[in-house]
Amino acid sequence: MATSLKQLADSLGRNFGKQLVSVEIKYQEVTVVVTPENLIEVATQLKESEEFKFEQLVDLCGVDYSQFGVAEWQTNDASNAGFSRGVDVSTTTGRLQFGDELESVVDNGARFAAVYHLISYQNNCRLRLKVFAADDSFPVVPTITDVWASADWYEREAFDLFGLLFSGHPDLRRILTDYGFVGHPFRKDFPLIGNVEMRYDSVKRRVIYEPVSIEPRVLVPKVIREDHRYISDEQMIQEKEEAKGDA
Amino acid sequence: MPEIKNYTLNFGPQHPAAHGVLRLVLEMDGEVIERADPHIGLLHRGTEKLAETKPFNQNIGYMDRLDYVSMMCNEHGYVLAIEKLLELEIPERAKYIRVMFDEITRILNHLMWIGTHALDVGAMTMFLYAFREREDLMDLYEAVSGTRMHATYYRPGGVARDLPDAMPQYQESRWRSKKEAARLNENRQGSLLDFTEDFTNRFPGYIDEYETLLTDNRIWKQRTVGIGVVTQERAFQLGFTGPMLRGSGVEWDLRKKQPYEVYDRMDFDIPVGTNGDCYDRYLVRIEEMRQSNRIVKQCISWLKDNPGIVLSENHKVAAPRREMAKADMEGLIHHFKLFTEGYTVPEGEVYTAIEHPKGEFGVFLISDGANKPYRLKVRAPGFAHLSSMNEMATGHMLSDVVAIIGTQDIVFGEIDR
């Protein structure tokens, strides 16, 4: 990498100041969070200014954080009957069926995000830009098709799969799902098996849609283990101190 | 003067030149394209959503099925993302094997591309030539993984197994005489590396054959020179990567600029075009095959001299060997845990990109600390390329659309995901 990540993060802070919600370096990658109001301005400057020169939008995708950190097994402590066993039906996205509802575990405004990956060919560096839509029931983010033309299809895809609305997009149609598809399949509350299935009806002599007949089949439950190999030293110390305080 | 009206033409999805299931709605003025509107998604399988419900290792096989003509490169992007989150070091030999198979895959992909591209434009022979060589490379896939296409060979922590010491042999059958089988087996007597070396020695000659057929061919040039011109500035804007970007004169290759595995130790050149038309992109890809051949050769000579382990010995992530799982208590526990629950990956978000034969193949992985990905986004190079169809095709004739589809090297497995 031509410029060090620290330098990049510093100059981002210097140039944009309060326009950025946060700047973070993790896993050798810089992530910047912006509010939807500031997105266009920040994006334009990231592309135009000599210092950054992010010529290309490499990727754009939607994320639904509504089930972040929700596991099917509790593994933190064992009760008298051992660890929790047997999975509650319809608590996670893979096991949902038609009509099941799933509650979001995050606050309103932290559920849907659009994530942009930028690359600068001149400076040989990458940047991740993240925008959270303010309202979960009607998530809107401004379009950046005027800044990077490649955003066109990516925004259509995020709209199709997550229902993220990109205000100002010239042609926000569905792109990957079928003509006349209902719902946004990559949302965590959309069942993995889908809602409808399609077949040719020889009596009616046309293709018809029916409710799905298959059962959800997820074989391995989702487990989150607290693995001390991945906990940083500071966290360890903090935990110890908390334990002392409790005692 | 007769009055000519604009009309709409539906191209595909069942058309041999549509490279799978592309549906194009073309607005035509006579035979000239006014507007091209690609309809995609006919091969959408929801790979990314499926991946959210499966442990990390079970998704490797899905990656093969994305871009189904460059299978191992897709796996590579995915396992690199997991390794980055786990901060896992992989054995040196595994890195060389991965680089070698990435380059073999690149040749496989480009052979498929040149065969179909030339066939679409009218050169039937190229297709037969390219598939002759693909056969040898697929035998390599088969020897190392057991399958000719969907290998599932890479693992977080290395590769599934070491290179075999013997190549499978042709058998005498009702359709193949003993003499014929013996002839086919001639260069398969040694190890996989010997066979690969034999191929790399033969391959430059084959590329010369292709070039004899096409490079100065008058019809080929008429169909490709000046077709689908993209300037450098537009290439950035439209999200072009890989040979499409290099064809427009940008000297950029992730293997050189942001090297992964052992590419920084390899000696190879990056071909760059000047005009940004179909013909330049053809020249770039032809030269890439020669360069890949060079890299494979370098890998072979290193791999021959340096035996060693090919899968990490961190058995919290990589499966222990069978003997260990049978004889050793720890090994048994690790084996059981890995194949029932899988491993958990620390919370975080990473984006890894590799130089895929078609361009930049990126994997954006979000983990919430579970044994399954929270969100997996595959950045397929073909998606960005196809989105530029309208701009590239407008003003050209209908027959040029076929050349443009060919030059974009489109595979629907990765575009629709």
Side-chain angles (χ1 to χ4, degrees):
Chain A
M1 300 267 162
T3 42
S4 83
L5 300 173
K6 189 82 183 62
Q7 275 174 350
L8 176 65
D10 285 347
S11 71
L12 281 167
R14 215 174 32 248
N15 276 278
F16 297 109
K18 288 224 168 76
Q19 282 179 311
L20 308 181
V21 179
S22 68
V23 182
E24 191 186 38
I25 305 178
K26 218 175 171 190
Y27 293 108
Q28 307 294 311
E29 290 172 28
V30 185
T31 310
V32 172
V33 181
V34 199
T35 56
E37 295 79 46
N38 292 327
L39 175 66
I40 299 292
E41 207 179 315
V42 172
T44 315
Q45 213 178 323
L46 282 174
K47 186 193 163 204
E48 305 288 342
S49 83
E50 271 307 308
E51 195 175 348
F52 301 114
K53 215 75 189 154
F54 287 100
E55 297 108 332
Q56 195 173 63
L57 174 78
V58 177
D59 188 28
L60 191 167
C61 70
V63 182
D64 175 2
Y65 281 101
S66 67
Q67 297 296 310
F68 196 79
V70 178
E72 287 171 314
W73 277 7
Q74 300 312 317
T75 55
N76 287 350
D77 33 33
S79 66
N80 290 340
F83 289 114
S84 82
R85 283 292 182 269
V87 174
D88 253 348
V89 182
S90 78
T91 47
T92 54
T93 171
R95 296 177 209 274
L96 288 183
Q97 278 175 306
F98 178 70
D100 287 344
E101 281 187 20
L102 204 57
E103 234 163 74
S104 170
V105 297
V106 293
D107 298 336
N108 188 25
R111 179 174 176 187
F112 290 110
V115 183
Y116 307 77
H117 285 98
L118 312 178
I119 188 168
S120 163
Y121 288 96
Q122 192 180 299
N123 302 328
N124 192 5
C125 60
R126 290 176 188 275
L127 178 70
R128 175 158 52 235
L129 209 61
K130 216 192 246 178
V131 181
F132 282 93
D135 185 1
D136 286 355
S137 53
F138 190 65
V140 186
V141 172
T143 179
I144 53 157
T145 41
D146 296 330
V147 189
W148 292 286
S150 56
D152 185 354
W153 275 27
Y154 286 121
E155 288 183 352
R156 280 177 66 187
E157 185 193 317
F159 160 69
D160 189 0
L161 302 179
F162 288 94
L164 272 173
L165 295 159
F166 292 88
S167 59
H169 189 282
D171 184 21
L172 201 63
R173 281 177 294 157
R174 284 185 180 273
I175 184 164
L176 288 178
T177 53
D178 200 1
Y179 306 110
F181 190 88
V182 181
H184 301 288
F186 276 32
R187 288 187 173 187
K188 289 282 177 180
D189 53 7
F190 191 94
L192 180 72
I193 54 170
N195 289 326
V196 288
E197 62 187 28
M198 185 179 77
R199 69 177 174 87
Y200 178 74
D201 189 316
S202 54
V203 181
K204 290 180 183 150
R205 306 186 69 173
R206 64 180 171 86
V207 170
I208 58 165
Y209 287 86
E210 292 168 332
V212 278
S213 56
I214 52 170
E215 290 285 317
R217 196 180 66 124
V218 173
L219 300 179
V220 181
K222 183 176 166 186
V223 184
I224 297 179
R225 291 196 181 273
E226 264 186 35
D227 200 328
H228 280 268
R229 281 172 302 159
Y230 303 128
I231 293 179
S232 65
D233 294 341
E234 295 116 63
Q235 259 175 300
M236 288 273 229
I237 294 162
Q238 203 183 337
E239 268 176 32
K240 264 186 199 157
E241 272 168 13
E242 271 170 28
K244 260 186 214 165
D246 290 342
Chain B
M1 269 264 300
E3 196 184 325
I4 299 171
K5 274 192 296 190
N6 277 11
Y7 62 97
T8 312
L9 184 78
N10 187 41
F11 177 97
Q14 302 299 330
H15 186 287
H19 284 215
V21 285
L22 170 67
R23 181 180 169 210
L24 275 174
V25 178
L26 302 168
E27 255 170 54
M28 317 269 302
D29 177 15
E31 215 185 319
V32 178
I33 312 287
E34 299 248 288
R35 200 174 83 94
D37 180 18
H39 286 208
I40 63 167
L42 288 104
L43 201 61
H44 180 62
R45 295 145 296 176
T47 303
E48 293 160 3
K49 179 134 180 145
L50 278 169
E52 289 170 10
T53 62
K54 290 193 164 36
F56 282 95
N57 269 16
Q58 290 185 16
N59 293 322
I60 302 172
Y62 279 129
M63 295 300 123
D64 290 310
R65 285 145 182 89
L66 288 172
D67 180 355
Y68 46 76
V69 292
S70 33
M71 296 68 71
M72 286 200 197
C73 287
N74 305 338
E75 290 173 26
H76 199 171
Y78 177 64
V79 296
L80 273 182
I82 299 172
E83 282 163 8
K84 197 169 180 183
L85 271 172
L86 288 166
E87 287 166 353
L88 193 65
E89 272 298 313
I90 74 164
E92 202 80 333
R93 190 174 164 83
K95 291 185 183 173
Y96 274 92
I97 293 178
R98 281 184 185 179
V99 167
M100 184 173 89
F101 270 96
D102 269 17
E103 296 309 317
I104 287 173
T105 309
R106 194 179 313 278
I107 297 174
L108 260 178
N109 177 79
H110 284 4
L111 284 174
M112 180 77 183
W113 157 79
I114 192 149
T116 50
H117 184 26
L119 182 68
D120 290 347
V121 173
M124 177 90 198
T125 320
M126 274 310 306
F127 191 73
L128 305 173
Y129 276 27
F131 270 67
R132 179 188 63 188
E133 274 73 81
R134 270 173 66 87
E135 200 59 31
D136 283 346
L137 296 175
M138 287 191 155
D139 285 348
L140 289 177
Y141 261 55
E142 188 178 359
V144 86
S145 72
T147 47
R148 287 160 57 82
M149 291 187 80
H150 302 307
T152 327
Y153 179 54
Y154 292 10
R155 294 280 185 282
V159 292
R161 70 189 74 174
D162 206 348
L163 305 171
D165 294 327
M167 286 293 288
Q169 307 285 316
Y170 279 101
Q171 305 290 323
E172 185 190 348
S173 72
R174 221 188 315 167
W175 302 277
R176 197 174 284 120
S177 69
K178 200 168 183 182
K179 207 172 139 201
E180 173 77 4
R183 188 185 63 77
L184 286 166
N185 287 334
E186 222 167 76
N187 51 14
R188 285 161 207 264
Q189 298 307 314
S191 69
L192 177 130
L193 284 172
D194 293 329
F195 180 68
T196 320
E197 193 169 21
D198 177 65
F199 177 82
T200 55
N201 291 333
R202 282 180 286 139
F203 190 55
Y206 294 146
I207 305 178
D208 292 339
E209 285 179 19
Y210 311 151
E211 289 221 74
T212 324
L213 279 174
L214 293 177
T215 304
D216 291 321
N217 182 322
R218 190 156 50 94
I219 306 171
W220 177 254
K221 283 181 108 168
Q222 279 171 350
R223 292 297 304 274
T224 55
V225 175
I227 304 295
V229 180
V230 180
T231 62
Q232 198 167 323
E233 173 54 28
R234 286 312 289 169
F236 285 139
Q237 269 288 308
L238 295 169
F240 280 15
T241 46
M244 296 288 286
L245 188 64
R246 290 193 282 276
S248 295
V250 183
E251 189 232 323
W252 181 268
D253 191 315
L254 289 175
R255 292 173 294 172
K256 284 268 194 217
K257 303 286 180 177
Q258 299 175 1
Y260 47 97
E261 309 297 9
V262 289
Y263 275 114
D264 45 352
R265 287 176 227 167
M266 296 291 156
D267 179 27
F268 64 102
D269 302 317
I270 311 174
V272 175
T274 48
N275 304 320
D277 59 2
C278 291
Y279 187 68
D280 275 23
R281 288 187 281 269
Y282 153 77
L283 292 176
V284 165
R285 288 195 174 106
I286 287 282
E287 186 55 32
E288 274 187 23
M289 285 202 272
R290 293 188 195 276
Q291 297 301 330
S292 291
N293 201 51
R294 267 174 77 189
I295 299 175
V296 173
K297 272 194 173 173
Q298 292 165 47
C299 289
I300 292 170
S301 66
W302 191 93
L303 285 166
K304 279 193 168 169
D305 300 338
N306 296 279
I309 55 165
V310 294
L311 190 59
S312 165
E313 288 190 324
N314 177 359
H315 295 310
K316 299 281 180 209
V317 177
R321 294 191 58 77
R322 194 163 189 82
E323 308 86 75
M324 225 175 122
K326 294 278 182 194
D328 176 47
M329 189 68 185
E330 284 271 301
L332 177 71
I333 296 170
H334 283 139
H335 185 274
F336 176 74
K337 286 308 273 184
L338 278 173
F339 285 92
T340 50
E341 185 182 296
Y343 47 86
T344 55
V345 165
E347 191 179 319
E349 313 180 339
V350 289
Y351 178 83
T352 52
I354 63 157
E355 187 70 29
H356 185 272
K358 294 184 167 63
E360 176 176 325
F361 181 88
V363 170
F364 177 44
L365 185 66
I366 303 180
S367 167
D368 57 351
N371 57 342
K372 304 171 179 185
Y374 182 77
R375 166 99 168 100
L376 174 74
K377 167 78 198 313
V378 173
R379 191 268 175 203
F383 189 81
H385 295 159
L386 186 63
S387 71
S388 72
M389 176 56 82
N390 184 33
E391 190 168 324
M392 282 177 86
T394 305
H396 282 304
M397 308 279 255
L398 178 60
S399 56
D400 296 331
V401 170
V402 173
I404 290 169
I405 294 172
T407 196
Q408 287 184 343
D409 198 3
I410 283 164
V411 164
F412 272 87
E414 58 158 8
I415 291 172
D416 291 347
R417 281 158 286 147

